[in-house]
Coordinates of all heavy atoms in Angstrom, one line a residue:
L23 N -18.0 0.8 53.7 CA -16.9 0.7 54.6 C -17.1 0.8 56.1 O -16.4 0.3 57.0 CB -15.7 1.7 54.1 CG -14.3 1.5 54.8 CD1 -13.8 0.1 54.5 CD2 -13.3 2.6 54.3
G24 N -18.3 1.6 56.3 CA -18.6 1.8 57.7 C -19.0 0.6 58.4 O -18.9 0.4 59.6
Y25 N -19.5 -0.4 57.7 CA -19.9 -1.7 58.2 C -18.6 -2.5 58.9 O -18.8 -3.2 59.8 CB -20.6 -2.6 57.2 CG -21.9 -2.2 56.9 CD1 -22.2 -1.5 55.7 CD2 -23.1 -2.6 57.7 CE1 -23.5 -1.2 55.3 CE2 -24.4 -2.2 57.4 CZ -24.6 -1.4 56.2 OH -25.9 -1.1 55.9
I26 N -17.5 -2.2 58.3 CA -16.3 -2.8 58.8 C -15.7 -2.0 59.9 O -15.4 -2.6 61.0 CB -15.3 -2.9 57.6 CG1 -15.8 -3.8 56.5 CG2 -14.0 -3.6 58.1 CD1 -15.0 -3.9 55.2
T27 N -15.7 -0.7 59.8 CA -15.1 0.1 60.8 C -16.0 0.1 62.2 O -15.4 0.5 63.2 CB -14.8 1.5 60.3 OG1 -16.1 2.1 59.9 CG2 -13.8 1.5 59.1
A28 N -17.1 -0.2 62.0 CA -18.0 -0.2 63.1 C -17.9 -1.4 63.9 O -18.3 -1.4 65.2 CB -19.5 0.0 62.7
V29 N -17.3 -2.5 63.5 CA -17.2 -3.8 64.3 C -16.4 -3.5 65.6 O -17.0 -3.9 66.7 CB -16.6 -4.8 63.4 CG1 -16.2 -6.1 64.2 CG2 -17.4 -5.2 62.2
P30 N -15.2 -2.9 65.5 CA -14.6 -2.8 66.8 C -15.4 -1.9 67.9 O -15.4 -2.1 69.0 CB -13.2 -2.1 66.6 CG -13.0 -2.4 65.1 CD -14.4 -2.4 64.5
A31 N -16.0 -0.9 67.3 CA -16.8 0.0 68.2 C -18.0 -0.8 68.9 O -18.3 -0.6 70.1 CB -17.3 1.1 67.4
I32 N -18.7 -1.6 68.0 CA -19.8 -2.4 68.5 C -19.3 -3.3 69.6 O -20.0 -3.6 70.6 CB -20.6 -3.1 67.5 CG1 -21.2 -2.1 66.4 CG2 -21.6 -4.0 68.0 CD1 -21.7 -2.7 65.2
F33 N -18.1 -4.0 69.4 CA -17.6 -4.9 70.3 C -17.4 -4.3 71.6 O -17.6 -4.7 72.8 CB -16.4 -5.7 69.8 CG -16.7 -7.0 69.2 CD1 -17.1 -7.2 68.0 CD2 -16.5 -8.0 70.1 CE1 -17.4 -8.5 67.4 CE2 -16.8 -9.4 69.5 CZ -17.2 -9.6 68.2
L34 N -16.6 -3.1 71.6 CA -16.3 -2.4 72.8 C -17.6 -1.8 73.5 O -17.6 -2.0 74.8 CB -15.4 -1.1 72.5 CG -15.0 -0.3 73.7 CD1 -14.1 -1.0 74.6 CD2 -14.1 0.9 73.1
I35 N -18.5 -1.4 72.8 CA -19.9 -1.0 73.5 C -20.5 -2.1 74.1 O -21.0 -2.1 75.2 CB -20.7 -0.4 72.4 CG1 -20.1 1.0 71.9 CG2 -22.0 0.0 73.0 CD1 -20.7 1.6 70.7
A36 N -20.5 -3.3 73.4 CA -21.2 -4.5 73.9 C -20.5 -5.1 75.2 O -21.1 -5.4 76.1 CB -21.2 -5.6 72.9
F37 N -19.0 -4.9 75.2 CA -18.3 -5.3 76.4 C -18.7 -4.4 77.6 O -18.9 -4.9 78.7 CB -16.9 -5.2 76.1 CG -16.2 -6.5 75.5 CD1 -16.5 -7.0 74.3 CD2 -15.4 -7.2 76.5 CE1 -16.0 -8.2 73.9 CE2 -14.8 -8.4 76.0 CZ -15.1 -8.8 74.8
F38 N -18.8 -3.1 77.4 CA -19.2 -2.1 78.4 C -20.5 -2.5 79.0 O -20.7 -2.6 80.2 CB -18.9 -0.8 78.0 CG -19.6 0.3 78.8 CD1 -19.2 0.4 80.2 CD2 -20.6 1.1 78.4 CE1 -19.8 1.3 81.0 CE2 -21.2 2.0 79.2 CZ -20.8 2.1 80.5
L39 N -21.5 -2.5 78.1 CA -22.9 -2.7 78.5 C -23.2 -4.1 79.0 O -23.9 -4.3 80.0 CB -23.9 -2.4 77.3 CG -23.7 -1.0 76.8 CD1 -24.7 -0.8 75.6 CD2 -24.1 0.1 78.0
G40 N -22.5 -5.1 78.5 CA -22.6 -6.4 79.0 C -22.0 -6.6 80.5 O -22.5 -7.2 81.3
A41 N -20.7 -5.9 80.6 CA -20.2 -6.0 82.0 C -21.0 -5.2 83.0 O -21.1 -5.6 84.1 CB -18.8 -5.3 81.8
L42 N -21.6 -4.1 82.6 CA -22.6 -3.4 83.5 C -23.8 -4.2 83.8 O -24.1 -4.3 85.0 CB -23.0 -2.0 82.7 CG -24.1 -1.3 83.6 CD1 -23.4 -0.8 84.8 CD2 -24.5 -0.2 82.7
G43 N -24.3 -5.0 82.8 CA -25.4 -5.9 83.1 C -25.0 -7.1 84.1 O -25.7 -7.4 85.0
L44 N -23.8 -7.6 83.8 CA -23.3 -8.6 84.8 C -23.1 -8.2 86.1 O -23.3 -8.9 87.1 CB -22.1 -9.2 84.1 CG -22.1 -10.1 82.9 CD1 -20.8 -10.5 82.4 CD2 -23.0 -11.3 83.1
L45 N -22.5 -7.0 86.2 CA -22.4 -6.3 87.6 C -23.7 -6.2 88.3 O -23.8 -6.6 89.5 CB -21.7 -5.0 87.4 CG -21.5 -4.2 88.8 CD1 -20.6 -5.0 89.7 CD2 -21.0 -2.8 88.5
L46 N -24.7 -5.8 87.6 CA -26.0 -5.6 88.3 C -26.6 -6.9 88.6 O -27.3 -7.2 89.6 CB -27.0 -4.8 87.3 CG -26.6 -3.3 87.1 CD1 -27.5 -2.7 86.1 CD2 -26.6 -2.5 88.4
S47 N -26.4 -8.0 87.7 CA -27.0 -9.3 88.0 C -26.4 -9.9 89.1 O -27.0 -10.7 89.9 CB -26.8 -10.1 86.7 OG -25.5 -10.5 86.5
N48 N -25.1 -9.6 89.4 CA -24.4 -10.2 90.5 C -24.8 -9.4 91.8 O -24.7 -10.1 92.9 CB -22.8 -10.0 90.5 CG -22.3 -10.8 89.3 OD1 -22.9 -11.8 88.9 ND2 -21.2 -10.4 88.7

C-alpha cells in the first residue's frame, strides 16, 4: 500500500526540487 500512498509525496518532492533546479537554471 506504501507504493500508492507514496505517489503524492514523490510528486510534491519532485515539484519542489524541479522548481529549485529551474530557478537555478534561469
